[in-house]
Amino acid sequence: MDLDTIIQEYERTEITALWIHDRIQNRHYNILSIVEACPIEQQYSLPIESLDKNGEKVPFVGISLDQERTLYLRREFKETAEEGLAYFRGPRMMENVAIVSFDHLILDPPAEVPVLTKETKYPSTALEHILPRRSVAFRVCALFEEKQATLHQLTEQDFAKVAFLTKQYLGYDLSIYKEFIGAVLLALPNPYLRLVNILGAPEHTAIIAAFYERMGKSMIGGEIEICDIHIYGQGFHLRKRITNQRMLISLPYMPTRFKVRLFDAKSQLVYENEIAFMQAFHLNMQMANTVRKFKRLTGKESYKDFRRKLRKPKLESKGV
C-alpha cells in the first residue's frame, strides 16, 4: 500500500522542526523534522511558544549559536494529512521559511514502504525515543543525509544547545542520537487502534486480548498472530481471526515470552510487540530476633557468665 493511500486514513498533521538559520547565507538548514499524521480523535500536542523582545507570544523558540547562526524549534498544526506528506516529500516550508538540507537525502526504507515500530510509550530503540510518545506502534518512513553533512557542521557548543532545546520541549536529548541529525521522519500511528492490552489468564491457559479501536475504525475481520519465543527456537504458532473487541484465546500452554502481531482486514501488519509474563511466587518468611541472655555465676562456672542463643530464621517458598 503506497503512502498516498495510507495518508487518507488520517485527519490532520503536526510538524515539529528544528533548524539553524545562517544569516550570512540567509538559509535555514534542517536539523530534525518530524511529521506526525494524526487520527481524528487524537489530542493536539502542546504548542511550542516563547516571548519576543517586546513581550509578545511567538510560535517558536530560538537560541543563538554565535553571531551568525540561530537555532530554532517550531511546531505547526496542519488541517490535512496531505500537507504533512507534502512536507516530507519536499519542498519543506515552516510558515514562510524554506527548510533545506546541507546534504542529499536518501529514503529509508526505499520506495516509501514504511517500517513498523513498537509502542513508543516505553521506548527501547533510538527511533522510538525520537518519535512522539504514544500507546500504539508507528509506521515510519525516513529521509537521512547521505554523507551526514549537517552532523559535521555542528560544534560541541552547538550540540549543547541542541540538547538544551530538545530536552526542554521534546523530552529527549537529540545530541545523544546523532544518527538522526539532518533527518526528516514521517510518523504514521496505528490507524485502527489507540491501545492494545494483552493479559494472561493462566487458570484458562489463555490470554485476553483487548482492542481499543479508534473512532469509526474496526479490527473485526483482521487476524491476531501469537508466537511463543524460545531460546533455542520457536514454540507454538497460532493465527486467529479477530471477531470481537475483547477475545479469550486459548493456548497450548502458558509461555513466558511471546510475540503478538495484528493484521487488518487487508492483511496489512499494523501492530507487533513482544510480551513477557513473570511466574508468580508466594514467599513466606518468619524472622526471629537474636536473643541474648546474661547470667551471673560464681566459682568455676564463671566461664558461663555469657550465653547467646540464636534462632535461625525459617524460610519457606512455594511456586505457583
Side-chain angles (χ1 to χ4, degrees):
M1 188 180 297
D2 61 86
L3 284 182
D4 292 289
T5 302
I6 295 174
I7 207 70
Q8 301 298 322
E9 299 172 339
Y10 301 92
E11 183 72 13
R12 59 182 185 85
T13 311
E14 295 180 4
I15 303 174
T16 304
L18 179 72
W19 76 89
I20 290 176
H21 179 206
D22 187 323
R23 286 183 290 278
I24 299 299
Q25 301 182 31
N26 194 26
R27 292 172 73 84
H28 301 261
Y29 292 103
N30 177 60
I31 303 300
L32 176 66
S33 291
I34 299 178
V35 181
E36 182 184 10
C38 304
I40 187 171
E41 81 278 12
Q42 181 171 308
Q43 294 183 348
Y44 281 75
S45 300
L46 293 175
I48 296 175
E49 299 174 329
S50 61
L51 300 178
D52 63 13
K53 62 180 66 176
N54 298 319
E56 297 182 359
K57 189 179 293 185
V58 291
F60 59 83
V61 293
I63 185 171
S64 176
L65 298 179
D66 51 40
Q67 294 182 348
E68 301 174 355
R69 300 173 305 148
T70 301
L71 181 68
Y72 288 101
L73 179 64
R74 181 182 180 122
R75 176 173 290 144
E76 289 191 355
F77 304 93
K78 303 295 187 180
E79 294 183 356
T80 67
E82 288 78 7
E83 290 176 275
L85 181 58
Y87 181 96
F88 176 75
R89 288 171 170 169
R92 283 168 276 281
M93 299 289 295
M94 292 296 283
E95 194 62 31
N96 297 319
V97 174
I99 309 295
V100 298
S101 298
F102 276 111
D103 196 359
H104 173 67
L105 297 176
I106 55 176
L107 189 64
D108 185 23
E112 291 188 343
V113 178
V115 63
L116 186 68
T117 72
K118 296 180 182 178
E119 298 174 5
T120 60
K121 187 175 182 179
Y122 303 105
S124 58
T125 67
L127 177 60
E128 291 165 12
H129 278 278
I130 295 296
L131 293 172
R133 298 288 187 269
R134 300 288 181 259
S135 298
V136 294
F138 281 93
R139 289 176 290 181
V140 179
C141 282
L143 292 166
F144 291 101
E145 289 190 334
E146 186 174 19
K147 299 179 180 179
Q148 294 187 307
T150 302
L151 178 63
H152 301 314
Q153 295 285 333
L154 300 179
T155 66
E156 289 300 319
Q157 291 78 13
D158 295 340
F159 276 117
K161 295 179 180 180
V162 167
F164 172 77
L165 275 189
T166 53
K167 283 194 292 187
Q168 183 170 355
Y169 291 95
L170 303 182
Y172 58 85
D173 181 355
L174 180 59
S175 67
I176 297 175
Y177 309 105
K178 291 184 171 62
E179 63 269 34
F180 289 96
I181 298 295
V184 182
L185 305 180
L186 176 63
L188 307 165
N190 192 310
Y192 297 97
L193 301 167
R194 51 189 172 83
L195 180 66
V196 178
N197 200 4
I198 306 294
L199 300 174
E203 65 275 14
H204 300 291
T205 316
I207 63 169
I208 300 172
F211 311 114
Y212 298 86
E213 297 171 341
R214 296 193 184 278
M215 187 183 304
K217 302 290 185 177
S218 176
M219 283 295 295
I220 305 301
E223 291 184 314
I224 179 170
E225 180 183 85
I226 305 167
C227 298
D228 184 20
I229 300 174
H230 280 250
I231 297 176
Y232 300 106
Q234 180 176 294
F236 66 80
H237 177 275
L238 298 177
R239 189 155 177 165
K240 293 185 176 294
R241 185 164 297 277
I242 298 173
T243 58
N244 206 317
Q245 294 179 351
R246 189 177 179 91
M247 297 176 62
L248 180 68
I249 302 174
S250 298
L251 306 177
Y253 53 85
M254 287 304 295
T256 55
R257 288 179 62 239
F258 60 98
K259 180 180 291 186
V260 175
R261 306 171 92 192
L262 299 179
F263 300 85
D264 64 15
K266 302 175 184 178
S267 298
Q268 298 289 320
L269 179 63
V270 296
Y271 176 90
E272 183 177 20
N273 201 10
E274 286 188 11
I275 298 172
F277 287 149
M278 296 295 293
Q279 188 176 14
F281 288 90
H282 291 301
L283 191 62
N284 180 15
M285 296 185 67
Q286 295 179 354
M287 299 297 294
N289 293 330
T290 299
V291 177
R292 291 180 175 87
K293 288 187 177 181
F294 296 87
K295 186 176 182 180
R296 186 175 299 276
L297 299 177
T298 59
K300 295 181 180 180
E301 295 181 344
S302 61
Y303 69 92
K304 296 181 179 179
D305 286 350
F306 175 80
R307 184 175 65 184
R308 177 182 298 171
K309 183 179 180 182
L310 176 64
R311 293 203 301 254
K312 294 183 179 180
K314 296 179 180 179
L315 178 64
E316 180 185 352
S317 64
K318 184 178 180 182
V320 286

